[in-house]
Amino acid sequence: MATKAKELTVEEKLKALYTMQSIDSKIDEIHKLRGELPLEVSDLEDELAGLQKRIENLNTEMENLKETISESKNGIKEADTLKQKYEKQLNSVKNNREFDALTKEIENQDLDIQLMEKKIKDSTEQITSKTAYLEESNELLEKKVKNLEEKKKELEKITKETEAEEEKLSKKAEKAQKKVEDRIVNAYNRIRKAYKNGLAVVTVERNSCGGCFATIPAQKQLELKQRKKIILCEHCGRVLVDNDLAS
Ligand SMILES: [Zn+2]
């Protein structure tokens, strides 16, 4: 059975705490090495989804425009047929009233034709600009897909390279943790989380706390060297250890 925490001396606990810190700092380094990659990958995935949606919408819009054009072309044909029919009837009108009515109908068909021609022109212009936008989006998509693949590969490589190392370190950290009471481990984790650099156990450097650089009084430094109790920095709350213990 492993040695129970309460059976260990303060010095041994301090050493265990220092070991925990060294290992956790190494693991932090590994995570830093992976750095922004996981975030970059998920950002790229979001971007890709957005781009794909955009392309899908553009394709639907173009389909609709093409349908408008074909409907308008048919409409023009129908209006043209009607117009020709009315023009023929114009040759055999019996009175002014009939003439006026037919002329009005022909005018209406002309207006319809103009309207539909304008629709065709507008839709054609829109298709041209959408085609350019679609091409641009497809190119961008291709680029992003490639970029994502590269980032994923890179992340995979780094993860693979560091996974074994991280696992080994985690096991070591666990072993050290068992030497210290849960209460202290919890405090250690709390302090680590509170500081960006993840330092909960620090040495005294040039009479100052290695975490916050506050001066550590000589009396306290003496106590530290005795390793009889766990001493915290009064300013930042980190666990202080003497330099010799760290080396
Ligand atoms: Zn401090």
Side-chain angles (χ1 to χ4, degrees), residues 119-212:
K119 243 189 202 171
I120 290 173
K121 191 175 162 267
D122 288 348
S123 300
T124 308
E125 275 170 9
Q126 278 192 61
I127 285 177
T128 307
S129 78
K130 279 187 202 293
T131 303
Y133 191 36
L134 185 67
E135 259 168 42
E136 211 177 279
S137 304
N138 274 323
E139 266 169 39
L140 194 62
L141 181 75
E142 211 175 297
K143 228 187 258 173
K144 296 263 176 208
V145 166
K146 235 183 231 165
N147 200 347
L148 178 64
E149 273 168 18
E150 279 165 16
K151 293 252 182 249
K152 268 186 168 168
K153 244 184 234 162
E154 207 180 319
L155 180 61
E156 212 174 288
K157 187 169 164 264
I158 293 176
T159 307
K160 214 181 253 172
E161 277 170 6
T162 52
E163 230 169 31
E165 171 79 358
E166 198 179 341
E167 207 174 305
K168 221 166 73 190
L169 287 170
S170 295
K171 271 189 189 137
K172 264 195 200 166
E174 240 172 75
K175 222 165 126 190
Q177 242 181 53
K178 277 182 189 146
K179 295 183 180 173
V180 188
E181 291 96 324
D182 290 346
R183 173 178 64 82
I184 297 175
V185 174
N186 290 340
Y188 165 86
N189 286 328
R190 217 169 31 241
I191 302 169
R192 240 175 78 71
K193 256 189 217 140
Y195 294 107
K196 229 177 163 182
N197 60 9
L199 288 180
V201 181
V202 293
T203 52
V204 177
E205 310 279 348
R206 291 197 189 108
N207 302 321
S208 307
C209 164
C212 71

